Amino acid sequence: MSVNGAEPGDRLSAESDSVRVKAVVESHVPFDHVEIIVNGTVAVDNSVAAASEHATVQRYQFEADVPLNHSSWIALRVRGGDHADVFDGPVWAHTSPVYVLKDDLPIRNPDDAEYFVEWIDQLLRVVAARNRYASAEDRQQVESLFQDARAEFAHRAVRTVE
């Protein structure tokens, strides 16, 4: 997979409101979906016809323009049904992302940030209920770290108008 020529793990600056994603998938086990994932959400879902039963490798290639309103990560995911050569469930593969920055702004997802605010709140309740620390100072250090993280995620959860 590449995004405007950048490969998984790369960072790039977006000059326009869309990027060009190119993908080539080759697999020894059959797959039926190739998806472009943007910030955890399926942006493009290509249903793939089954390979010939005589093929030893299934190959699928495509290009797509993907709109971007803000800085985002983009990855490719491949899915398929159960297969005897896959021991832990259905066929799947996922690339590392390409990080695309618009206007040099960081990648932010308010929904993800809200999830972590709630998760940290739950952890703070566990810390208070269990109170398994050698000293009050140790407990305060842990709570302070959680509170700092919570404040950062609460800041990131603030939604801006696009």
Side-chain angles (χ1 to χ4, degrees), residues 141-160:
Q141 282 183 315
V142 170
E143 287 176 332
S144 178
L145 289 171
F146 281 138
Q147 290 293 355
D148 291 347
R150 187 192 188 289
E152 177 63 27
F153 283 112
H155 173 72
R156 292 180 182 200
V158 174
R159 297 182 187 276
T160 58

Side-chain angles (χ1 to χ4, degrees), residues 24-34 46-61 78-81 83 91:
V24 177
V25 178
E26 294 180 337
S27 176
H28 290 284
V29 294
F31 57 90
D32 52 26
H33 285 273
V34 179
N46 291 317
S47 293
V48 179
S52 159
E53 64 183 65
H54 302 292
T56 57
V57 174
Q58 182 178 357
R59 187 174 202 281
Y60 181 73
Q61 180 174 337
V78 178
R79 296 184 297 114
H83 190 274
V91 172

Side-chain angles (χ1 to χ4, degrees), residues 3-108:
V3 178
N4 285 3
E7 296 183 355
D10 288 345
R11 291 182 180 273
L12 69 98
S13 293
E15 303 296 326
S16 66
D17 290 335
S18 69
V19 292
R20 185 77 169 167
V21 176
K22 295 180 182 181
V24 177
V25 178
E26 294 180 337
S27 176
H28 290 284
V29 294
F31 57 90
D32 52 26
H33 285 273
V34 179
E35 302 163 325
I36 297 172
I37 309 296
V38 178
N39 292 335
T41 301
V42 176
V44 175
D45 183 356
N46 291 317
S47 293
V48 179
S52 159
E53 64 183 65
H54 302 292
T56 57
V57 174
Q58 182 178 357
R59 187 174 202 281
Y60 181 73
Q61 180 174 337
F62 75 99
E63 295 183 20
D65 290 317
V66 176
L68 288 183
N69 297 327
H70 46 78
S71 296
S72 303
W73 61 264
I74 300 173
L76 191 72
R77 181 170 64 195
V78 178
R79 296 184 297 114
D82 289 334
H83 190 274
D85 291 341
V86 178
F87 65 91
D88 63 347
V91 172
W92 71 273
H94 198 297
T95 67
S96 292
V98 173
Y99 303 95
V100 183
L101 302 181
K102 287 198 64 158
D103 303 319
D104 291 321
L105 295 173
I107 297 169
R108 296 285 190 258

Side-chain angles (χ1 to χ4, degrees), residues 111-132:
D111 292 334
D112 291 347
E114 287 172 4
Y115 169 86
F116 284 109
V117 168
E118 293 171 14
W119 187 58
I120 292 168
D121 285 344
Q122 182 177 351
L123 291 173
L124 285 166
R125 287 190 293 275
V126 169
V127 167
R130 291 189 180 163
N131 196 22
R132 296 181 182 171

